[in-house]
Amino acid sequence: MSDQTEREIVRRELDHSAPNPAVQIAEIVAELENTEPTRLPTMYDCVDGMLDNLFSQPPSAEAQMAVEFSYKSYRITVEQDATATFVKTG
């Protein structure tokens, strides 16, 4: 993997006990884009509560559930274990 590609992939751990994981995602994207979270578009159209369900009613560990979606200029994958990967797409 090239250095440029590696810089475009960011991994973070989310707090799976926090009430709204979409807020955490928005905060991370805002940090990556060097802007305020309030300046970003709502994430509701992208994930429509799926992240809340991933942590509030998690499937069994064997399911290895993940939610993957596009937001802003990132392809975001959130794993059941609260690991989030952000890949810059544009």
Side-chain angles (χ1 to χ4, degrees):
M1 193 177 303
S2 74
D3 288 339
Q4 179 65 26
T5 301
E6 190 63 33
R7 282 191 297 258
E8 294 175 356
I9 299 173
V10 175
R11 290 178 180 80
R12 298 285 172 85
E13 293 295 320
L14 303 179
D15 179 359
H16 60 79
S17 65
N20 191 344
V23 170
Q24 293 179 71
I25 297 291
E27 289 171 346
I28 294 168
V29 170
E31 176 189 329
L32 295 172
E33 293 293 305
N34 197 27
T35 191
E36 294 295 318
T38 56
R39 300 188 63 115
L40 296 174
T42 179
M43 205 177 305
Y44 184 80
D45 292 336
C46 297
V47 292
D48 188 23
M50 287 186 289
L51 291 176
D52 293 335
N53 290 335
L54 182 64
F55 298 137
S56 67
Q57 300 173 4
S60 68
E62 296 81 32
Q64 298 180 359
M65 182 82 156
V67 174
E68 186 173 277
F69 60 97
S70 294
Y71 177 68
K72 231 6 204 150
S73 57
Y74 294 88
R75 187 72 186 156
I76 301 169
T77 304
V78 180
E79 303 284 339
Q80 181 176 331
D81 68 359
T83 302
T85 304
F86 300 77
V87 179
K88 183 83 168 167
T89 59

